[in-house]
Amino acid sequence: MGCCNRRCGLIAGAVFGAVVAILGGVLIPLGNSIIEGTEAVIEPGTTAFDNWNATGAMVYRQFWFLEVKNPTEIVQNGATPVVREKGPYTYRTRYLPKENITFNPNNTVSFLLPFGAIFEPSMSVGSEEDKVVSLNLAVAGAYSMVPPGLHFILQNMIKSSNSSLFHSRTVKELLWGYPDPMLNGNVGLFYPYNGTSDGPYNVFTGEDDISKVGIIDRWRGERSLSFWDDKYCDMINGTDASSFPPFVDKKKPLFFFSSDICRSVSASFSESLNLKGIEVYRYTLLPSTLAAPVDNPDNHCYCRDKKTTKNCTVAGVLDTSSCREGKPVYISLPHFLYGSPSLRKDVLGLNPVEEHHMTFLDVEPTTGFTLRFAKRIQVNMMYGPSKVITLLNKVKDYTVFPVVWLNETAVLDDETADMFKEELVSRIQLLETVQQVLLGSGLAIFGLCFFFYLVHKSKKD
């Protein structure tokens, strides 16, 4: 009778240990489903919705102008342009919540992203009225948009308005617009901006499939772009980079679409970092993103003009004229980071430094929320030689000229970080601890009971 009780007790103990271990294992997918269901879905009341609807952190755009040091020598003698950096001039942006939010029956939500910019004097080197010697946006733009056969008309317009290839304008004028005498209209790098919006966007809420949360379904009513005349380059991939689907796998790239550069890009895992007590994955753009088609064949459809890109061999710049009504705007990383050396030979004074000029995203891997980012891009324009336009008589070759570079950046504040850790990270850590304790103790009980059961059975035999 005693042997039976002992044997039955060992069997019961083994069964109990197995049940405890199974319970610990069950908590793993259960915990994931809790996070998915209560935190990551874009719907009112969830952490994801609050994070998605209005940016909690302050978002700033810092501008550095590439001021021209030798404008007269360039025009009169054909000298190589020399620039020097002037800035930052800082504005608060993305402070307005999304507009026209509409939840749709197909588990998507549509919205507009309103634009606004407020100058921050305390974070700037000077005022908005500071003067900058810069490329004349109207002259450079008209040069590319007017066919060479009609350059005599452009020459008359330049002469009659007393315009030049370079001029002095205030920071405010260059960024947000000014009346140009040659075009008899407003011109500016970001004109118009305040009071306008981006979109409409249509993104998946993740309610039916959490792996699709935040992924763009449509932009401006379309599932693909119409800028590049190519199915691959016209794809709209990923999210808007403010967040990604939860449970981020660092072995896989993150895809996002940026209307600023009129295309989708991918970012790859770089390193794990501690951000105010929260582990984040840093993702960066690879040099191949803006590589020449000879090095990255996927970029073949982004080469629009073989003449100005030296038969598509120039790396580091993206011609966005097809999405800007023909205006010759070229996007690059600041100081032509990862660009062809010829770009920095054509314009002197540039010094790319990866730490200061690369774009990165710091993503919390469990939720997929972007907790810190720095989007750094440079706005360039192009001009070239002309036998008709007097200002360009001495210009020897096509020049991609840097006008300004910007750093749009944000990081969660201490209060938000504490709340994030308390409401989410601490719960995840507690759940993981319970999982490990149950799984470990259950397996230990099962293993010991099963071992002693075998020992008891062998002695009895």
Side-chain angles (χ1 to χ4, degrees), residues 184-354:
N184 292 319
N186 288 323
V187 176
L189 288 166
F190 300 96
Y191 175 83
Y193 191 79
N194 282 344
T196 65
S197 60
D198 181 21
Y201 284 84
N202 204 57
V203 306
F204 291 101
T205 64
E207 186 174 353
D208 62 331
D209 184 355
I210 199 63
S211 67
K212 295 166 64 177
V213 64
I215 291 177
I216 299 170
D217 177 42
R218 297 174 185 269
W219 180 67
R220 295 182 178 176
E222 302 294 336
R223 286 197 167 96
S224 61
L225 306 173
S226 58
F227 305 136
W228 308 109
D229 301 323
D230 182 272
K231 185 177 180 180
Y232 175 81
C233 287
D234 279 330
M235 293 175 65
I236 299 176
N237 292 327
T239 70
D240 64 357
S242 62
S243 66
F244 298 89
F247 309 110
V248 174
D249 183 354
K250 59 186 176 185
K251 295 179 181 178
K252 299 178 181 179
L254 295 179
F255 293 91
F256 59 94
F257 168 72
S258 174
S259 61
D260 288 333
I261 62 174
C262 311
R263 60 166 287 191
S264 300
V265 295
S266 65
S268 298
F269 174 79
S270 172
E271 59 181 326
S272 292
L273 299 170
N274 184 300
L275 176 61
K276 300 185 177 181
I278 304 169
E279 183 189 18
V280 294
Y281 290 172
R282 171 156 293 186
Y283 284 79
T284 59
L285 296 185
L286 296 177
S288 59
T289 303
L290 295 177
V294 291
D295 298 315
N296 182 5
D298 288 342
N299 286 345
H300 73 280
C301 35
Y302 297 121
C303 181
R304 310 292 293 176
D305 188 337
K306 293 187 177 182
K307 183 184 294 184
T308 58
T309 59
K310 298 178 174 59
N311 201 27
C312 299
T313 60
V314 175
V317 292
L318 176 69
D319 178 2
T320 63
S321 57
S322 59
C323 65
R324 301 183 190 278
E325 301 174 340
K327 299 170 186 173
V329 177
Y330 290 75
I331 298 298
S332 69
L333 294 178
H335 289 239
F336 295 126
L337 177 67
Y338 306 141
S340 297
S342 61
L343 295 168
R344 293 185 293 277
K345 290 181 180 178
D346 293 342
V347 179
L348 304 178
L350 301 173
N351 181 34
V353 178
E354 192 171 55

Side-chain angles (χ1 to χ4, degrees), residues 15-30:
V15 171
F16 174 75
V19 170
V20 171
I22 291 171
L23 180 60
V26 167
L27 280 177
I28 296 174
L30 178 61

Side-chain angles (χ1 to χ4, degrees), residues 348-420:
L348 304 178
L350 301 173
N351 181 34
V353 178
E354 192 171 55
E355 179 185 357
H356 301 304
H357 299 143
M358 70 175 182
T359 289
F360 69 81
L361 306 165
D362 287 345
V363 181
E364 197 285 311
T366 303
T367 61
F369 297 162
T370 301
L371 301 185
R372 177 172 59 188
F373 70 89
K375 181 175 70 175
R376 295 158 175 164
I377 58 176
Q378 182 170 287
V379 179
N380 314 274
M381 294 192 74
M382 190 272 296
Y383 64 84
S386 174
K387 295 180 180 179
V388 178
I389 302 173
T390 306
L391 293 173
L392 301 173
N393 284 168
K394 300 291 185 178
V395 175
K396 300 178 180 65
D397 201 356
Y398 295 100
T399 303
V400 178
F401 199 94
V403 181
V404 68
W405 74 269
L406 65 90
N407 175 31
E408 183 174 88
T409 184
V411 60
L412 83 168
D413 54 45
D414 293 340
E415 182 180 351
T416 305
D418 292 339
M419 182 184 67
F420 190 88

Side-chain angles (χ1 to χ4, degrees), residues 61 87-91 119-128 130:
R61 271 195 178 188
Y89 294 90
T90 305
Y91 292 79
F119 185 61
E120 295 285 350
S122 64
M123 301 174 68
S124 304
V125 297
S127 76
E128 286 186 292
D130 285 359

